């Protein structure tokens, strides 16, 4: 189950991992993503949480034109887990909601909810953690946005730390 809010249990797991000098469980239990804003259930997700969610792999060309296989979780599935309305329910005032993807360097990019919703759109925007099966380099990871089919790479946000839902 994905932990909601701050978890004391999580802090204990991290502490136990570092005391043992055992980095593997500590890394898996580290919070890497915050989901907040106009959501019913704010989330603090660990690498292990993301690994348990439905995974997608897409082939796409990066900014340099190199084709790679990117694996991760659909933004839509993460927002659903946070209790954001999706699909048929996404109408009326809810169409004024938007997603801001925020990175550790302060870079931000906005997505409207319909453009990342499979009920509206076939392009599955992903929050990826693997490139050709390997963890992303720290210069772009641990988490990065991949938007298949997008002609420019400006919204392929590197080093994502927060997904924030706002209302226009
Ligand atoms: N965090 C963060 N992500 C970012 C940017 C940035 O400045 N900071 N630049 C964007 C732009 S404009 C492009 S073209 C691509 C470039 O991706 P690359 O650095 O992996 O080639 O990253 C995007 N993601
Ligand atoms: Mo760019």
């Amino acid at each position: 189950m994905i932990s909601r809010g701050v978890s004391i249990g999580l802090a204990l797991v991290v502490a136990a991992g570092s005391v043992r000098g055992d980095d593997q469980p500590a890394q898996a239990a580290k919070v890497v993503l915050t989901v907040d804003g106009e959501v019913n259930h704010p989330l603090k997700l660990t690498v292990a949480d993301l690994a348990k969610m439905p995974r997608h792999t897409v082939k796409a060309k990066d900014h340099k034109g190199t084709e790679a296989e990117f694996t991760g979780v659909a933004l839509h599935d993460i927002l659903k887990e946070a209790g954001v309305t999706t699909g048929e329910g996404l109408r009326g005032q809810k169409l004024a909601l938007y997603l801001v993807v925020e990175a550790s360097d302060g870079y931000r990019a906005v997505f409207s909810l319909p453009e990342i919703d499979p009920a509206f759109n076939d392009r599955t925007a992903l929050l990826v953690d693997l490139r050709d099966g390997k963890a992303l380099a720290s210069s772009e990871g641990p988490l990065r946005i991949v938007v298949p089919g997008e002609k420019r790479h400006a919204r392929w946000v590197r080093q994502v730390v927060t997904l924030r839902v706002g209302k226009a």
Side-chain angles (χ1 to χ4, degrees):
M1 189 53 210
I2 285 163
S3 60
R4 294 187 167 142
V6 177
S7 161
I8 293 165
L10 172 68
L12 292 176
V13 170
V14 172
S18 37
V19 166
R20 285 200 311 271
D22 179 359
D23 268 5
Q24 218 48 27
Q27 282 309 111
K30 198 174 145 199
V31 171
V32 286
L33 183 74
T34 297
V35 187
D36 63 16
E38 303 281 328
V39 302
N40 284 329
H41 315 292
L43 304 173
K44 298 266 184 198
L45 300 183
T46 65
V47 171
D49 291 329
L50 289 168
K52 277 183 233 146
M53 294 183 72
R55 311 276 296 171
H56 301 263
T57 297
V58 296
K59 251 191 198 159
K61 277 189 182 155
D62 67 15
H63 186 55
K64 292 193 185 95
T66 309
E67 188 161 77
E69 276 192 354
F70 295 96
T71 303
V73 179
L75 285 176
H76 165 260
D77 282 328
I78 300 172
L79 293 190
K80 216 165 63 182
E81 189 69 36
V84 175
T85 303
T86 62
E88 219 181 300
L90 196 45
R91 52 195 158 94
Q93 297 194 350
K94 296 215 160 81
L95 287 174
L97 294 169
Y98 56 87
L99 168 66
V100 191
V101 179
E102 300 186 350
S104 56
D105 63 351
Y107 193 80
R108 299 188 299 164
V110 167
F111 292 83
S112 74
L113 297 191
E115 71 183 316
I116 60 165
D117 191 312
F120 286 80
N121 207 304
D122 283 332
R123 295 192 308 156
T124 307
L126 298 179
L127 184 69
V128 310
D129 50 14
L130 301 177
R131 182 192 179 103
D132 293 329
K134 285 184 234 117
L136 296 179
S138 59
S139 53
E140 66 173 342
L143 301 172
R144 161 169 224 165
I145 299 293
V146 167
V147 196
E150 191 115 301
K151 285 161 129 182
R152 296 193 59 82
H153 289 72
R155 296 199 297 178
W156 284 41
V157 182
R158 294 185 302 259
Q159 300 173 316
V160 174
V161 288
T162 305
L163 303 182
R164 180 160 293 137
V165 176
K167 194 155 205 270

